[in-house]
């Protein structure tokens, strides 16, 4: 068997395009190895839509250290923290928040501790938690399917990653439910609009939309990369300049709902 290729977003896009066109040839030469968290969780989302086989059911994908995480996610658990390292875990959002949010608070503490243990200052670790909470609030306010939200994190020697995803209506349909954005017909344009302050399905007059701005706060000085997926587009911000002007959109195979993937290396 050939040396496995790293499962990057570019590699995942290639596999998904091939599958979408019915040209995914599974032969002895095909072998990938999971590395970064984002591509693996996006793969799992594409699997749920039937485009790719599930990661733990793919013989030509080596899950490496992410095997326990994926198996726990596929096993239907609502919450999981790696029992040995405490450096990875996930949380599934309930349909409605109960008055007792002990589990969510505990998960946030686990995220913060993992980021701190990976070498990030406690204030930066707290900002990660704040960004995650903002994205989870977006699941409840805009996805139309709050019970489908999933938060995944992993900390390592090279940095900290988190992904927030849902299987809801997506950014374009959410924005088009507002009269102010009825003329938006492109998923890429919708993703770009969602970067802006004050943009949401409630309309600019409501002043409720913060876009993805909270994710940018505290990340601009880190060597970070962000990828947002909805519909048939991805929006990517990569490198030192974490802002709207550096965002790039490109057409991709269709993704149900919405996914935000954030990866930051230690300063």
């Amino acid at each position: 068997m050939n040396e496995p290729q790293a499962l990057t977003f570019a590699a995942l896009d290639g596999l998904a395009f091939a599958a979408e066109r019915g040209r995914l040839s599974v032969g002895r030469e095909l072998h990938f190895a999971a590395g970064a968290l984002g591509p693996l969780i996006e793969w799992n989302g594409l699997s749920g839509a039937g485009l790719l086989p599930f990661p733990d059911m793919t013989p030509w994908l080596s899950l490496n250290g992410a095997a326990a995480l994926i198996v726990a996610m596929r096993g239907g658990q609502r919450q999981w923290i790696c029992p040995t390292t405490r450096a990875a875990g996930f949380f599934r959002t309930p349909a409605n928040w109960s008055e007792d949010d002990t589990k969510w608070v505990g998960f946030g503490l686990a995220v913060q501790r993992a980021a701190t243990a990976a070498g990030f200052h406690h204030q930066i670790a707290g900002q990660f938690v704040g960004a995650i909470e903002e994205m989870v609030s977006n699941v409840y306010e805009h996805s139309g399917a709050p019970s489908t939200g999933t938060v995944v994190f992993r900390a390592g020697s090279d940095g900290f990653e988190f992904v927030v995803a849902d299987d809801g209506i997506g950014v374009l349909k959410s924005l088009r439910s507002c009269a102010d954005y009825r003329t938006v017909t492109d998923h890429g344009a919708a993703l770009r609009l969602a970067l802006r302050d004050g943009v949401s399905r409630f309309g600019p007059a409501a002043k409720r939309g913060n876009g993805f701005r909270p994710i940018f706060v505290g990340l601009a000085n880190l060597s970070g990369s962000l990828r947002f997926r909805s519909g048939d587009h991805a929006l990517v911000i990569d490198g030192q300049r974490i802002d709207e002007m550096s965002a790039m959109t490109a057409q991709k195979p269709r993704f149900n709902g919405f996914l935000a993937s954030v990866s930051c290396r230690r300063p």
Side-chain angles (χ1 to χ4, degrees), residues 166-215:
D166 65 68
D167 196 27
I169 61 176
V171 175
L172 177 60
K173 189 172 181 179
S174 176
L175 287 181
R176 282 178 53 83
S177 67
C178 174
D180 294 273
Y181 307 115
R182 290 278 167 76
T183 59
V184 182
T185 58
D186 178 80
H187 289 281
L191 283 169
R192 280 197 167 273
L193 275 172
L195 289 176
R196 301 179 184 174
D197 291 334
V199 173
S200 79
R201 68 183 181 87
F202 300 111
K207 298 182 179 180
R208 292 182 61 177
N210 293 316
F212 304 141
R213 191 72 56 191
I215 292 183

Side-chain angles (χ1 to χ4, degrees), residues 9-74:
F9 280 122
L12 176 62
D13 289 340
L15 289 169
F17 272 125
E20 189 176 56
R21 295 164 183 165
R23 298 177 180 176
L24 182 60
S25 177
V26 181
R28 292 178 60 85
E29 73 283 354
L30 200 62
H31 189 196
F32 289 88
L37 181 66
L40 185 59
I41 303 304
E42 187 171 319
W43 177 317
N44 193 63
L46 293 169
S47 301
L51 190 61
L52 292 172
F54 282 100
D56 58 328
M57 301 294 288
T58 307
W60 38 273
L61 172 64
S62 299
L63 292 176
N64 298 327
L69 173 67
I70 293 298
V71 169
M73 289 183 67
R74 293 262 288 125

